[in-house]
Amino acid sequence: MGVFLLLPFFLLRFGLLARLDRGAVGRAAYFAPMRRGERAAYWVYQLSNIAILACILFAKVRTDLPLLFWGGLALYTASLGLLALSVIAFAAPSEDGVNRSGVYRLSRNPMYLAYFLYFLGCALLARSPLLAVLVPVFQISAHWIILAEERWCIRRFGGAYIQYTQTVRRYL
């Protein structure tokens, strides 16, 4: 069953992005230069990501508690919608390189937000205690990566990115 949870995620994250702009796949896979503590967070991020995907792959959706099932399904579905909107906007940044279109008008990191909601939705659907522990670990480590990315964006895009950070929140 888990493969059916993962399939839409990978189709959107890699398939749609590649279809819209092959160069965007490389941009999305790029990790900004990191400082010492951020490098540790990077490895926690990667390992938790692998562990989460493995847990989802072998998960079984449980329907015996309707509130958890429907709540998980709502989060799962909403996260895929947010991921699709994020991918579409990410594939078409503005001419100065700072992405301010689509959901990037509301959040500087809508893809990371979509990942968090997706993983949380899967944890609820599978009622997995292990996933419930891994998801916050993933998100906390992702925050450190985001800080490195923002520092890199300020160096690369200068005042345009600083202005963007003053008008658009990091997450919501």
Side-chain angles (χ1 to χ4, degrees), residues 3-52:
V3 71
F4 295 112
L5 291 174
L6 289 172
L7 194 58
F9 177 81
F10 283 113
L11 286 173
L12 290 172
R13 173 64 176 82
F14 298 104
L16 179 60
L17 191 57
R19 184 158 175 78
L20 294 172
D21 178 9
R22 287 214 180 271
V25 175
R27 286 196 328 270
Y30 176 75
F31 284 93
M34 296 176 203
R35 295 179 179 158
R36 185 180 197 133
E38 293 163 344
R39 281 192 287 268
Y42 167 83
W43 287 109
V44 171
Y45 172 86
Q46 293 296 359
L47 293 172
S48 65
N49 204 353
I50 291 166
I52 287 170

Side-chain angles (χ1 to χ4, degrees), residues 52-132:
I52 287 170
L53 293 173
C55 283
I56 294 170
L57 181 64
F58 296 107
K60 290 184 170 60
V61 172
R62 299 186 53 190
T63 61
D64 53 327
L65 291 176
L67 187 60
L68 289 177
F69 171 75
W70 290 109
L73 187 61
L75 272 176
Y76 174 82
T77 304
S79 70
L80 291 176
L82 179 58
L83 182 57
L85 293 173
S86 301
V87 163
I88 290 166
F90 185 84
S94 66
E95 290 197 18
D96 67 3
V98 178
N99 199 331
R100 297 180 198 87
S101 64
V103 292
Y104 285 89
R105 290 176 296 165
L106 307 172
S107 170
R108 296 195 309 259
N109 298 284
M111 255 194 261
Y112 282 109
L113 183 58
Y115 300 159
F116 172 71
L117 295 174
Y118 170 81
F119 293 151
L120 189 58
C122 288
L124 290 174
L125 285 170
R127 291 208 335 249
S128 168
L130 181 55
L131 270 175

Side-chain angles (χ1 to χ4, degrees), residues 98-100 104-109 150 153-154 157-172:
V98 178
N99 199 331
R100 297 180 198 87
Y104 285 89
R105 290 176 296 165
L106 307 172
S107 170
R108 296 195 309 259
N109 298 284
E150 289 186 340
C153 286
I154 289 169
F157 304 112
Y161 190 78
I162 292 170
Q163 183 181 14
Y164 176 60
T165 65
Q166 293 169 348
T167 57
V168 177
R169 293 179 179 194
R170 183 175 286 138
Y171 298 110
L172 289 177

